[in-house]
Amino acid sequence: IRIVSSFGLFLFRIINRKEASSMNKIISRKRTLQIIVILCILGVTIYGLRFIDFKQVLQQVEKLPFFLKSITMILFIMLQVVFALFPGEPLELASGFLFGNFYGTLLCLAGSCLGTFFVYYLVKFFKHKIINLFFSKEKVQEVEQMLSKNKSKFWIFLIFLVPGSPKDILTYVASLGNINLVRWLIMTTLGRIPSILTSTYLSASLKEGDIVSSLIVLLLTIAMVIFGGVYYRYSVKKSNA
């Protein structure tokens, strides 16, 4: 459910960007490419669900050396944070399923920390050029205006704590400011714990057959995502007032 909803939400954001930009100019090639990539991934996913025995695939993956699996997961999470093209929930769910709740969470946090580290220096070097490659100018301006009126680093930390908040764009845009790298890495890593923990616990519980715990975590996650979305939109409206 979280994988499908994550991809659906991402595709919805892409379509929204397309509609907004069509009012002023022709859709840029990078947006068209993103839509094509998403449709291809969805096509491959549908094909995989129909013809691939994922139970057998997972059994083969679990036979790989533990160190190799761990490094691979960290690299995948890092790339997801850096490229910011796809939601991180599928990787977090996979991490919980393969490594369990505790170690899966640690791997996700390590990958996110590394990704944030690279994003920080990419933004310092390329500034808006790299940001506009992944996000629409309208969204970037929206976040910049919100951050300019809420300068408290603790406020940014609170936003990161809530599952469903737009952590990818916040990671990029906030890196434009005068923020200490070590403090930024600590803040974003700790802030990602609730979101990652719910994903890894959900998949780990499903693997162990604990359906009750899985449903409780799923309902709790949905509630937090709704709250996070509402709170973020409230913050945006308040900054625009």
Side-chain angles (χ1 to χ4, degrees), residues 81 115-116 119-120 123 160 166-176 184 188 192:
V81 174
T116 303
V119 167
Y120 181 88
V123 171
F160 264 85
K167 298 176 181 63
D168 290 337
I169 190 170
L170 279 171
T171 301
Y172 268 86
V173 177
S175 296
L176 283 169
W184 180 233
T188 53
R192 283 187 168 100

Side-chain angles (χ1 to χ4, degrees), residues 105-138:
T105 298
L106 289 182
L107 292 178
C108 289
L109 291 175
S112 298
C113 186
L114 278 175
T116 303
F117 174 85
F118 285 111
V119 167
Y120 181 88
Y121 280 108
L122 284 171
V123 171
K124 293 301 182 186
F125 187 79
F126 294 105
K127 298 190 182 300
H128 280 91
K129 290 181 181 179
I130 188 71
I131 296 177
N132 292 334
L133 185 63
F134 299 115
F135 309 101
S136 67
K137 291 183 178 180
E138 293 82 4

Side-chain angles (χ1 to χ4, degrees), residues 6 11 26-27 76-77 91 93 108 111 113 142 155 164 173 176 188 191 204 221 235:
S6 297
L11 188 59
I26 300 175
I27 303 174
F76 275 134
I77 296 290
L91 290 174
L93 289 167
C108 289
C113 186
E142 179 182 276
W155 176 84
V173 177
L176 283 169
T188 53
T221 302
S235 300

Side-chain angles (χ1 to χ4, degrees), residues 1-21:
I1 293 173
R2 288 197 68 173
I3 294 175
V4 174
S5 63
S6 297
F7 276 114
L9 178 60
F10 180 74
L11 188 59
F12 177 73
R13 290 173 179 172
I14 295 296
I15 293 173
N16 274 352
R17 293 176 187 174
K18 174 181 175 181
E19 293 175 348
S21 61

